[in-house]
Amino acid sequence: MLEIAKLEAGYGAAQVLFGIGFKVEAGEVVSLLGRNGMGKTTTIRTIMGLMPTRGGSIAFEGRELTGAPPYRMAQAGLGLVPEGRQVFPTLTVEENLIATAANRSGKARFDLAAVYAFFPRLKERRGNFGNQLSGGEQQMLAIGRALMTNPKLLILDEATEGLAPLIRAEIWAALGQLRDEGQSILVIDKHLDALLPLANRHVVIEKGRVVWTGTSADLSAQRSEVDRFLHV
């Protein structure tokens, strides 16, 4: 579904990505792992067209999309849940959800009723403004907003950052349900114990390069080797 090859990107004079390459197959969950500052978010931002590529290629469903603007990536079927949630603070929950619905790709699977069924708490808060929600509710809203575009590939950057354990577990359960329903997912997160049962494969990034990739079974067997790239 998604194929990244020899991807290079950076900020100003600083090179951040040095030939990143990996794939996400249809119906698969893939995690991007690594310490802070190793290039995970830059990889996502470059894939989504939020920053320019300096080399390499980005293909989605066989279409070359390198350098395409964000709206074209959304129209192609990539839905982003950004780091920091970035909900619209002065729009209601319902207004946040419908704000991106124009980017729908293909047959609409998720509408307001489906998102409310998926996250009942959002239905309870549908008249509240974005800045009146807790951090966990904002994360649910950010995911729901991305689902309203009916993405072929859902991309989550720091899916459970700063959330209480109970809310974090609720988010993981929701992602597991999406996976079981066939949703393709690319996710960045630090909670490896939650990612192991969720993801099919894992890609570890160190200083802008892929240094390890494998299945959850591989990662469990090589945990000590992988952990050295994940902890200071």
Side-chain angles (χ1 to χ4, degrees):
M1 176 171 279
L2 176 69
E3 184 170 3
I4 309 301
K6 299 180 180 179
L7 189 65
E8 298 187 8
Y11 302 88
Q15 184 88 357
V16 178
L17 304 183
F18 298 87
I20 292 283
F22 63 89
K23 297 179 181 180
V24 180
E25 303 289 353
E28 187 177 42
V29 178
V30 174
S31 79
L32 284 183
L33 302 170
R35 291 188 293 265
N36 290 340
M38 294 295 105
K40 304 186 301 298
T41 292
T42 300
T43 299
I44 296 301
R45 288 179 56 81
T46 306
I47 290 171
M48 290 302 300
L50 295 167
M51 60 184 298
T53 60
R54 294 182 177 179
S57 64
I58 301 166
F60 188 68
E61 294 189 318
R63 294 172 55 200
E64 177 68 31
L65 291 174
T66 310
Y71 76 88
R72 279 199 58 204
M73 303 307 287
Q75 290 171 344
L78 284 80
L80 176 64
V81 181
E83 184 178 21
R85 299 148 198 157
Q86 298 182 28
V87 302
F88 301 117
T90 58
L91 297 183
T92 66
V93 165
E94 194 149 307
E95 289 168 342
N96 265 276
L97 289 173
I98 64 175
T100 58
N103 281 329
R104 289 170 182 265
S105 57
K107 184 179 179 181
R109 171 188 168 203
F110 277 98
D111 55 15
L112 279 173
V115 170
Y116 286 152
F118 200 68
F119 289 123
R121 197 172 309 191
L122 293 183
K123 185 175 183 179
E124 297 170 6
R125 305 284 196 273
R126 61 186 180 274
N128 289 78
F129 294 111
N131 59 9
Q132 295 176 318
L133 305 180
S134 69
E137 291 165 348
Q138 287 186 1
Q139 187 65 52
M140 293 175 191
L141 179 55
I143 295 172
R145 184 178 59 185
L147 291 175
M148 283 289 288
T149 72
N150 283 272
K152 297 174 183 176
L153 176 63
L154 180 66
I155 302 176
L156 303 103
D157 191 354
E158 299 292 357
T160 61
E161 178 76 16
L163 300 184
L166 286 176
I167 300 298
R168 191 183 304 143
E170 196 170 340
I171 297 296
W172 289 125
L175 295 181
Q177 181 180 336
L178 287 171
R179 176 206 58 200
D180 294 344
E181 294 173 357
Q183 177 68 56
S184 305
I185 299 173
L186 176 62
V187 57
I188 294 174
D189 204 279
K190 298 180 178 67
H191 297 280
L192 187 54
D193 289 336
L195 288 169
L196 277 170
L198 175 71
N200 303 97
R201 290 188 300 109
H202 309 269
V203 178
V204 180
I205 297 176
E206 172 83 2
K207 296 181 180 178
R209 296 175 173 86
V210 173
V211 293
W212 189 92
T213 184
T215 65
S216 286
D218 295 332
L219 200 158
S220 294
Q222 302 173 39
R223 184 69 179 262
S224 59
E225 176 186 341
V226 175
D227 274 350
R228 67 192 178 94
F229 297 115
L230 305 181
H231 304 292
V232 177

